[in-house]
Amino acid sequence: MMNATDDVAIDFGDQQVPQKAIKHPIAIFFHLAFRITAVVVYIFCAFFSDSFVVNFIVLIILLSADFWTVKNVTGRLLVGLRWWNFVDENGKSHWIYEGKKGEQATRISPAESRIFWIGLIASPVLWLLFFFGTIFTLSLKWLIVVCVALGFNVANLYGYIRCKIGAKKGLSTAATEFLGQQAFRSFLSRATNQQPPPQQQPRQAVPQEPPSNM
């Protein structure tokens, strides 16, 4: 039998602390809130206001807030993805698609990832149905709103799909390439601006006429 005073070694190394399924509840709320509110307002806006201008402004504000939130906040927090662009000095736009790799990717919550992708895919599907509805009812003024909503939602969906399936380009790689290009162009400009010193041409001997015999 084991005495009460004997020390018992307990191994805590194999025990893992369970991670929370939802790590960013506020981000999830805003990821769904703006797009759900925009859909609800679009369906029931006639009950709130008869003015198309007011409804149009409210919907554009909600859609813009949703686009900015999903592109700049929730994608980075919930799935570790980000897409953006920068313009170089020549006015050329470069699109960058980033994603967490290795150990950082394992820290992403599967529950948050599912919520993110369900919201990201379901929203443009709904707006696509509204698009066909406005075509069949010949409601041209609401067609403008639906096209704006489709543009915002499809842009985010396309950007995050590019981040997910590939074409990922890290920020450091892009910055290194950009700085390398600038240094190479600076070197070429200096090399072309340096003109070689003028070379002195050798003097040509002038032939002398022989003296004439008188």
Side-chain angles (χ1 to χ4, degrees):
M1 294 180 60
M2 183 179 299
N3 297 329
T5 58
D6 292 341
D7 294 333
V8 179
I10 302 176
D11 186 14
F12 291 97
D14 295 336
Q15 296 183 2
Q16 297 180 355
V17 179
Q19 297 181 354
K20 294 181 179 179
I22 303 298
K23 301 179 182 179
H24 307 92
I26 298 178
I28 291 178
F29 172 78
F30 284 104
H31 178 72
L32 301 175
F34 287 121
R35 53 189 52 208
I36 292 176
T37 305
V39 172
V40 172
V41 170
Y42 176 80
I43 296 175
F44 300 103
C45 61
F47 296 97
F48 302 108
S49 176
D50 295 332
S51 175
F52 172 76
V53 176
V54 174
N55 296 327
F56 178 83
I57 293 175
V58 172
L59 284 170
I60 294 300
I61 292 175
L62 290 172
L63 293 170
S64 301
D66 172 70
F67 175 80
W68 185 90
T69 303
V70 174
K71 179 180 179 296
N72 298 305
V73 180
T74 60
R76 177 174 54 85
L77 293 178
L78 301 182
V79 291
L81 303 175
R82 185 177 66 164
W83 63 276
W84 56 286
N85 73 313
F86 69 93
V87 180
D88 58 17
E89 62 178 7
N90 296 325
K92 185 178 179 180
S93 180
H94 301 269
W95 293 91
I96 310 299
Y97 302 93
E98 297 178 314
K100 290 184 178 180
K101 300 178 181 179
E103 184 180 354
Q104 293 181 347
T106 60
R107 300 177 182 176
I108 299 173
S109 171
E112 291 184 345
S113 180
R114 285 193 295 268
I115 294 173
F116 175 84
W117 287 107
I118 290 173
L120 192 68
I121 296 173
S123 183
V125 171
L126 287 175
W127 286 109
L128 185 62
L129 295 177
F130 296 152
F131 174 80
F132 290 114
T134 55
I135 294 294
F136 293 149
T137 58
L138 299 178
S139 182
L140 299 181
K141 62 180 182 179
W142 289 108
L143 181 63
I144 301 175
V145 179
V146 174
C147 289
V148 172
L150 269 177
F152 282 153
N153 284 269
V154 171
N156 263 330
L157 180 61
Y158 173 79
Y160 283 113
I161 288 177
R162 286 288 304 269
C163 294
K164 185 69 175 178
I165 65 176
K168 301 174 184 177
K169 194 174 183 180
L171 175 62
S172 59
T173 304
T176 303
E177 292 182 358
F178 179 75
L179 293 176
Q181 292 177 359
Q182 300 305 314
F184 182 71
R185 291 173 183 172
S186 177
F187 173 78
L188 288 180
S189 63
R190 291 180 181 179
T192 54
N193 290 333
Q194 290 180 355
Q195 299 180 356
Q199 298 180 356
Q200 296 182 357
Q201 298 181 356
R203 297 181 180 179
Q204 297 180 357
V206 179
Q208 298 180 359
E209 296 182 357
S212 58
N213 294 328
M214 297 295 293

